[in-house]
Amino acid sequence: MTTTPMGTPPAHPARSVRDRLLRLLRGTPADGSLKHSVKAAVAIELVAQGATLVDVREAGEWRTGHAPRAVHVPLGQVAQGARRLPKGRPVVVVCASGMRSRAGAQQLRDLGFQATSVSGGMAAWQRAGGEVTR
């Protein structure tokens, strides 16, 4: 660990270039927060690492196919449904195309969650290899 001339650790330890690049590729800015939207492959990785996946589509859309571990909270119910989500984990929000998920992720950020939206929605999720069950 590096120290300042006074012998104390620096306020922000230097990050390697590799770490910064990996954060950018994964959708996380240098401060560790999530971007407002991420590509589906990044979303799949975030969920595999423990992020909660929230599907904000309507019930009929949900029944046509959804990710196995997703929590179903229709967009109009995000404020109430947020109580079911663990506060300490990142949240990845998905819909059909990415429009509603952006709104849902913003609502969750306003409620104090670290949330991001899946660009391209469920179609992109599936193209990136994300599992879907009916």
Side-chain angles (χ1 to χ4, degrees):
M1 175 187 288
T2 61
T3 58
T4 63
M6 300 300 288
T8 59
H12 300 286
R15 291 191 178 115
S16 73
V17 172
R18 180 181 176 275
D19 288 342
R20 287 183 291 199
L21 286 172
L22 285 174
R23 283 187 177 280
L24 288 172
L25 291 172
R26 288 185 184 133
T28 53
D31 66 359
S33 64
L34 290 175
K35 290 182 179 180
H36 287 192
S37 66
V38 295
K39 293 184 179 195
V42 173
I44 291 167
E45 183 180 333
L46 288 168
V47 171
Q49 293 175 2
T52 301
L53 180 63
V54 175
D55 189 325
V56 295
R57 296 176 301 155
E58 295 300 319
E61 295 171 292
W62 168 265
R63 286 190 295 272
T64 65
H66 57 274
R69 295 182 298 187
V71 177
H72 183 226
V73 180
L75 182 59
Q77 300 171 13
V78 167
Q80 301 87 352
R83 288 177 273 191
R84 298 178 12 214
L85 306 176
K87 274 265 190 184
R89 281 195 219 168
V91 179
V92 175
V93 184
V94 68
C95 67
S97 68
M99 297 296 288
R100 288 175 286 177
S101 62
R102 280 193 291 263
Q106 181 60 58
Q107 288 181 45
L108 289 170
R109 285 192 299 275
D110 291 346
L111 293 169
F113 289 88
Q114 186 180 9
T116 189
S117 168
V118 179
S119 291
M122 284 302 293
W125 174 270
Q126 285 184 281
R127 281 192 307 272
E131 191 176 346
V132 173
T133 186
R134 297 189 199 288

